[in-house]
């Protein structure tokens, strides 16, 4: 599951789906607990302001290593 939103460099994620986020690994865990298509509230801190963003989760694309499928055949 992947989050695509209008965040900016320097934004700090404060909570995900109303759950406080304690760090990067914790954020990955709470994102993984949701399904593509879910809409959640992402709370960010931007400068001195805090704001809530409604985000739609999408599937995370699978990226294969460059040598996969490279033969020889």
């Amino acid at each position: 599951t992947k989050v695509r939103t209008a965040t900016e460099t320097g934004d700090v994620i404060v909570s995900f789906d109303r759950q406080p986020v304690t760090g990067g690994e914790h954020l990955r865990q709470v994102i993984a607990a949701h399904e593509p298509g879910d809409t959640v509230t992402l709370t960010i801190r931007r400068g001195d302001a805090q704001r809530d963003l409604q985000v739609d989760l999408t599937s995370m694309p699978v990226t294969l290593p460059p040598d996969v499928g490279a033969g020889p055949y």
Side-chain angles (χ1 to χ4, degrees), residues 1 7-9 15 17 37-38 41 44 47 50 54 60-61 63-65:
T1 305
T7 57
E8 297 177 4
T9 301
S15 69
D17 201 27
D38 287 352
T41 300
I44 62 165
Q50 188 165 300
Q54 295 299 307
M60 190 147 177
T63 304
L64 297 176

Side-chain angles (χ1 to χ4, degrees), residues 16-59:
F16 182 91
D17 201 27
R18 308 283 183 205
Q19 296 179 39
V21 173
T22 59
E25 181 59 33
H26 182 241
L27 178 59
R28 284 187 283 280
Q29 291 172 357
V30 294
I31 291 172
H34 289 79
E35 297 293 325
D38 287 352
T39 299
V40 299
T41 300
L42 185 68
T43 304
I44 62 165
R45 187 174 59 239
R46 181 175 294 160
D48 294 332
Q50 188 165 300
R51 65 170 51 172
D52 289 338
L53 305 172
Q54 295 299 307
V55 297
D56 298 320
L57 303 181
T58 63
S59 296

